Amino acid sequence: SGASGGEATADDVVTQLKAKGVKASKSIIFSGKKKGVFLGYEGMKPGDRVQKDAAVIVQESGGPGVPKNTMGKQATKVVSTFKTMGVPVHYKQVPVSDTKKKPIGSVVATYPAEGQTLSDGDKDDGIYIGVATKSDGGAISIDIGRPGRRHGEIRTGKPRT
């Protein structure tokens, strides 16, 4: 087994650790690496020794996607995370009327949804992040993603009736 390019898979690492008597489990982390590739150990730095009776969490790449708990964070705080995804990332302004519930500059929409992997067919389009901006008070409809469109985009405008 093993991912192409000689990169170890998370499954390989878990198997090796369990063979040494280490309790190992996996955690999926979205990244620019191929799905299944071993990324590291949660809470450990390279060179740290693993104690035999320790429980180790092996980080496995889920490919590019939107991590859980992205919604509501300030967009400036998630830029570094999305830079590592290896796909285009588009930040779009989304007018909001209630800036107490959805503060200006916070993430209010994502494509794909948080906790989801970007599908292979969407990798050229990339990830979309909707960032709250003050609304002018007009009726706004928000459409994120690609239903029936060639290019994923966030559209804002008056709702069609």
Side-chain angles (χ1 to χ4, degrees):
S1 77
S4 65
E7 293 177 292
T9 67
D11 287 337
D12 293 341
V13 173
V14 167
T15 302
Q16 290 165 11
L17 288 169
K18 285 185 173 172
K20 293 177 180 151
V22 175
K23 292 184 211 74
S25 60
K26 286 192 308 186
S27 159
I28 305 285
I29 307 290
F30 294 116
S31 79
K33 299 256 187 204
K34 258 181 59 183
K35 275 186 196 170
V37 169
F38 167 69
L39 297 174
Y41 302 103
E42 197 167 286
M44 297 180 75
K45 296 182 287 307
D48 284 358
R49 309 254 342 135
V50 176
Q51 301 303 316
K52 214 180 183 82
D53 57 355
V56 175
I57 299 172
V58 172
Q59 294 174 328
E60 173 180 17
S61 176
V66 177
K68 283 186 170 65
N69 302 319
T70 297
M71 296 283 281
K73 282 190 176 164
Q74 283 293 305
T76 53
K77 298 267 192 272
V78 301
V79 169
S80 59
T81 300
F82 287 104
K83 268 188 184 157
T84 66
M85 295 296 169
V87 296
V89 180
H90 311 277
Y91 294 88
K92 302 288 184 182
Q93 292 191 327
V94 178
V96 295
S97 52
D98 187 346
T99 56
K100 283 195 178 30
K101 278 191 185 145
K102 296 179 176 176
I104 291 171
S106 66
V107 176
V108 293
T110 65
Y111 179 83
E114 60 179 1
Q116 300 299 307
T117 303
L118 188 66
S119 71
D120 288 341
D122 285 345
K123 288 203 169 117
D124 288 343
D125 274 347
I127 294 171
Y128 287 79
I129 310 291
V131 181
T133 183
K134 183 110 180 78
S135 168
D136 61 6
I140 300 295
S141 69
I142 299 170
D143 180 14
I144 294 189
R146 312 179 37 149
R149 276 195 301 288
R150 237 177 77 62
H151 294 289
E153 68 204 45
I154 297 177
R155 273 192 325 186
T156 58
K158 303 267 185 248
R160 280 180 236 136
T161 48

